[in-house]
Amino acid sequence: MDNRLLDRHAEALALFTERVHAVRPEQWDAPTPCEDWSVRDLVNHLTAEQLWVPPLVREGRTLADVGDAFDGDVLGEHPAVAWDRAASAAKAAMSEPGALDRTVPLSYGESGVAAYCAQMVADMTVHAWDLSRGIGADETLPGALVDFTAREVAPYAADLVKSGLFAPAVQPPTGADPQTKLLCLLGRDPSAGR
């Protein structure tokens, strides 16, 4: 399981990295399917998530230890460079021997690093679609990531809307493919805005 999880993690990082590098200078302020988030806001969110990984996973720090270090703008003048550095450090921390066997403190309590990693894979996968839609790039997600994310979020998908971070699920069209079903489950309507 560890190798498959790390494979999916690496694949999700590579996918999002590819999309970040496809952003043209004039697109950073473009809207995304994430309400109130521009392309820059979305990339900033994912970059901050990656920045949390080394202190939590490698260093065993607490949320209080890290504090507000990754609040606000973490992209600076060179967003793609900031993403690349954060993604590389997160990948290295997750890939260390024994890392997936550790626990980390998250906003909702203690979690196994493997579960934390799985949640990050799901988040990067769905946000890769959001970013693709925002910049007009290819919206196709790799099948392995779609399948992984669908399995990951299925047990708690109904609770996501309660968090205020997700829109209510959308009814997928008859005969929808797995990617469309996943996006609809997570409050996206792939047919909108086309």
Side-chain angles (χ1 to χ4, degrees):
M1 174 59 186
D2 287 4
N3 286 342
R4 284 182 303 198
L5 177 55
L6 290 174
D7 287 348
R8 294 294 79 76
H9 184 251
E11 190 176 7
L13 282 168
L15 174 65
F16 200 80
T17 297
E18 177 185 294
R19 296 306 193 265
V20 169
H21 284 270
V23 179
R24 297 188 306 273
E26 70 275 11
Q27 292 180 311
W28 288 104
D29 292 325
T32 69
C34 300
E35 191 172 325
D36 299 327
W37 275 3
S38 67
V39 165
R40 185 180 176 95
D41 294 331
L42 177 61
V43 174
N44 190 73
H45 165 70
L46 267 290
T47 303
E49 281 192 349
Q50 305 318 304
L51 290 171
W52 276 95
V53 175
L56 296 181
V57 174
R58 177 183 289 141
E59 300 164 22
R61 295 170 66 189
T62 66
L63 298 180
D65 292 337
V66 179
D68 61 1
F70 307 127
D71 289 357
D73 178 29
V74 297
L75 297 180
E77 295 294 313
H78 304 286
V81 173
W83 162 261
D84 287 347
R85 287 182 181 146
S88 177
K91 182 178 180 182
M94 287 290 191
S95 301
E96 286 179 355
L100 295 180
D101 299 324
R102 300 176 192 149
T103 59
V104 288
L106 299 178
S107 59
Y108 53 82
E110 289 289 314
S111 174
V113 172
Y116 176 41
C117 184
Q119 291 167 14
M120 292 191 75
V121 170
D123 201 43
M124 284 187 283
T125 299
V126 174
H127 283 319
W129 181 85
D130 294 327
L131 182 55
S132 298
R133 175 62 60 102
I135 65 172
D138 180 6
E139 296 176 8
T140 306
L141 301 172
L145 286 177
V146 169
D147 293 344
F148 179 93
T149 301
R151 285 191 307 273
E152 169 62 23
V153 301
Y156 55 83
D159 293 328
L160 291 175
V161 72
K162 296 176 192 170
S163 71
L165 301 175
F166 288 81
V170 174
Q171 181 65 39
T174 304
D177 60 52
Q179 176 175 312
T180 300
K181 288 178 183 176
L182 172 65
L183 294 168
C184 289
L185 178 67
L186 295 175
R188 276 95 173 147
D189 184 354
S191 67
R194 296 196 119 181

